[in-house]
């Protein structure tokens, strides 16, 4: 009995520490933390520590209040098997590069597939298809099209204080704030680029759409994206849950801030046909 009581006490203390760390993340980093009465919020959440369902619900609502819709409380997801990989298809004088979303654990395979698909290819015009691309990691997607993005800064994360952490491409290496994330193909592919988006283009897809903004000879077609053009941070919670909250907005290479839907340059119900017609 004594041993069980000690285990229960340690489990309780571990839960309290995890919840306190999650609250610190929300108050210290969330984009809209100024909307929250934090003293009251902390009391409310601590009062639900012994009720897992209420605790999850209260933290979920707090995440949405402090960070907006791109965030929540969810169970950690296991690997989902073989991922979809990038493809390259000829359409007249254009090459269409289709980028599905990519989980973190498949990043290397994803980038290798993109390099192989692009190896030795040349096109008068490139089309990057991001329709339906959402979730997962942005870095393999950016690395996959690194030769099309050009060298230097291609975007950034901007926090609520205005601090900018750039995304850069150097010799095919995609970096965040100077820290390398993934190695894509080196070199550059010249020529115009058309970017296709729709209402299901979200987060990682939106990051790629933003990265092409401001690139010479780049134009986007389709519909506004879902509106998750924000960076998130996460914290573990009791019971195998994970809290995620938006802590930064995407910005393009010109300095334009996003944070919501990314509009196309050319609205279209058939963006692929429109891009091909606009060659």
């Amino acid at each position: 009995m004594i041993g069980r009581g000690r285990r229960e006490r340690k489990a309780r203390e571990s839960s309290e520490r995890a919840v306190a760390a999650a609250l610190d993340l929300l108050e210290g980093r969330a984009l809209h933390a100024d909307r929250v009465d934090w003293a009251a919020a902390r009391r409310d959440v601590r009062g639900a520590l012994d009720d897992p369902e209420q605790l999850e619900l209260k933290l979920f609502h707090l995440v949405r209040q402090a960070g907006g819709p791109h965030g929540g409380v969810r169970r950690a997801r296991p690997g989902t098997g073989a991922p979809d990989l990038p493809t390259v298809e000829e359409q007249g004088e254009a090459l269409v590069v289709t980028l599905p979303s990519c989980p973190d654990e498949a990043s290397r395979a994803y980038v290798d597939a993109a390099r192989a698909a692009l190896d030795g290819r040349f096109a008068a015009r490139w089309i990057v298809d991001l329709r339906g691309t959402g979730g997962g990691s942005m870095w393999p997607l950016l690395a996959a099209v690194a030769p099309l993005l050009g060298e230097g800064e291609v975007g950034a994360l901007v926090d609520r204080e205005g601090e900018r952490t750039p995304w850069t491409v150097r010799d095919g290496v995609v970096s965040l704030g100077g820290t390398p994330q993934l190695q894509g193909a080196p070199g550059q592919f010249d020529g115009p680029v058309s970017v296709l988006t729709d209402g299901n283009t979200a987060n990682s897809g939106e990051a790629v759409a933003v990265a092409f903004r401001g690139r010479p000879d780049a134009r986007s077609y389709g519909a506004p994206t879902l509106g998750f053009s924000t960076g998130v941070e996460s914290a573990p919670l009791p019971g195998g849950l994970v809290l995620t909250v938006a802590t930064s907005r995407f910005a393009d290479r010109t300095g334009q801030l996003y944070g919501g839907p990314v509009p196309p340059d050319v609205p279209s119900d058939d963006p692929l046909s429109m891009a091909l017609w606009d060659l």
Side-chain angles (χ1 to χ4, degrees):
M1 294 294 291
I2 294 176
R4 188 175 70 178
R6 184 179 295 116
R7 287 195 299 272
E8 290 175 350
R9 185 170 63 253
K10 287 186 175 180
R12 166 81 182 201
E13 291 171 351
S14 177
S15 295
E16 289 175 348
R17 287 194 297 271
V19 170
L23 290 170
D24 288 344
L25 170 64
L26 291 173
E27 183 174 3
R29 299 282 297 158
L31 277 175
H32 311 297
D34 57 352
R35 298 174 179 175
V36 178
D37 178 342
W38 286 102
R42 286 177 181 270
R43 285 194 302 270
D44 190 39
V45 169
R46 283 196 298 266
L49 278 170
D50 294 321
D51 186 334
E53 289 186 3
Q54 279 298 307
L55 179 63
E56 181 178 349
L57 183 63
K58 289 179 183 296
L59 286 170
F60 176 84
H61 287 303
L62 190 55
V63 164
R64 293 301 179 90
Q65 183 181 4
H70 187 197
V73 177
R74 59 174 174 79
R75 196 156 298 280
R77 300 187 184 99
T80 55
D84 293 328
L85 297 174
T87 60
V88 178
E89 178 185 5
E90 289 187 17
Q91 290 274 358
E93 296 182 352
L95 282 179
V96 180
V97 183
T98 301
L99 297 180
S101 56
C102 179
D104 281 316
E105 62 271 17
S107 294
R108 190 68 265 164
Y110 189 99
V111 176
D112 287 346
R115 292 183 70 162
L118 291 170
D119 187 39
R121 308 297 288 268
F122 173 80
R125 187 182 188 105
W126 300 85
I127 297 175
V128 177
D129 192 349
L130 300 171
R131 291 174 294 175
T133 304
S137 173
M138 60 190 273
W139 304 113
L141 278 66
L142 290 173
V145 292
L148 292 172
L149 288 168
E151 293 281 293
E153 184 174 325
V154 299
L157 298 175
V158 181
D159 69 16
R160 70 189 192 199
E161 307 299 332
E163 183 175 345
R164 184 182 180 92
T165 306
W167 317 332
T168 56
V169 177
R170 304 269 183 211
D171 296 323
V173 177
V174 179
S175 299
L176 174 65
T179 302
Q181 303 297 310
L182 276 174
Q183 169 75 62
Q188 287 185 252
F189 294 146
D190 296 323
V193 175
S194 300
V195 178
L196 313 183
T197 64
D198 64 10
N200 292 316
T201 304
N203 195 233
S204 62
E206 287 170 304
V208 180
V210 166
F212 278 105
R213 292 281 180 144
R215 176 202 185 272
D217 289 327
R219 206 173 191 199
S220 58
Y221 300 80
T225 63
L226 183 62
F228 285 4
S229 55
T230 47
V232 297
E233 297 181 41
S234 63
L237 291 171
L241 297 174
V242 177
L243 177 149
T244 59
V245 63
T247 59
S248 58
R249 296 179 177 87
F250 293 169
D252 64 29
R253 65 185 77 192
T254 74
Q256 174 67 45
L257 276 173
Y258 297 89
V262 181
D265 296 315
V266 182
S268 174
D269 293 331
D270 188 358
L272 178 56
S273 296
M274 178 64 75
L276 292 168
W277 177 83
D278 208 17
L279 285 171

